[in-house]
């Protein structure tokens, strides 16, 4: 019984460290050298890594997780533009105080 309790506690800690959100990209977006097509994506944050996935395809990137003082009303994506491409710079997660700043 004790092993089961320890196993459950480890599983709960693993699940608590990863947060899942949904985002919508309205234009082709570059993340860590991969172009993502417009559409709805699942975004999973685990410490300083984020995985953005849709179906069987996914891309992982390093991020700096920042916490602000007020909750964001909606999820927003901020870009930088270079050579006709839009590179994701940060994502502000709606309903949270969290900003994900993508590494260059």
């Amino acid at each position: 019984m004790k092993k089961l309790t320890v196993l459950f506690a480890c599983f709960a800690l693993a699940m608590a460290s990863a947060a899942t959100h949904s985002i919508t990209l309205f234009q082709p977006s570059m993340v860590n050298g991969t172009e993502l097509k417009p559409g709805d994506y699942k975004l999973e944050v685990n410490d300083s890594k984020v995985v953005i996935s849709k179906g069987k395809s996914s891309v992982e990137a390093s991020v700096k997780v920042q916490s602000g003082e007020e909750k964001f009303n909606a999820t927003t994506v901020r870009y930088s533009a270079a050579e006709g491409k839009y590179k994701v710079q940060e994502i502000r997660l709606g309903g949270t105080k969290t900003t994900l700043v993508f590494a260059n």
Side-chain angles (χ1 to χ4, degrees):
M1 182 71 166
K2 196 170 196 175
K3 284 185 179 181
L4 183 59
T5 303
V6 171
L7 181 63
F8 179 74
C10 290
F11 179 73
L13 285 173
M15 293 305 291
S17 66
T20 303
H21 303 274
S22 297
I23 63 167
T24 300
L25 300 175
F26 294 101
Q27 59 195 13
S29 305
M30 298 296 294
V31 174
N32 200 21
T34 301
E35 184 172 273
L36 300 175
K37 296 180 180 182
D40 296 325
Y41 289 84
K42 178 176 129 181
L43 182 135
E44 187 172 341
V45 182
N46 192 354
D47 296 323
S48 62
K49 297 282 184 190
V50 65
V51 176
I52 301 172
S53 59
K54 181 177 184 178
K56 293 182 180 181
S57 63
S58 66
V59 61
E60 182 177 308
S62 296
V63 293
K64 182 178 178 182
V65 180
Q66 297 178 340
S67 184
E69 294 184 19
E70 294 184 27
K71 287 185 179 181
F72 299 112
N73 292 328
T75 298
T76 58
V77 180
R78 293 188 175 222
Y79 296 95
S80 65
E83 301 174 10
K85 304 263 182 182
Y86 290 97
K87 183 178 176 184
V88 175
Q89 291 292 77
E90 68 180 44
I91 298 175
R92 296 178 179 185
L93 299 173
T96 74
K97 299 177 182 181
T98 304
T99 300
L100 305 174
V101 180
F102 285 73
N104 290 331

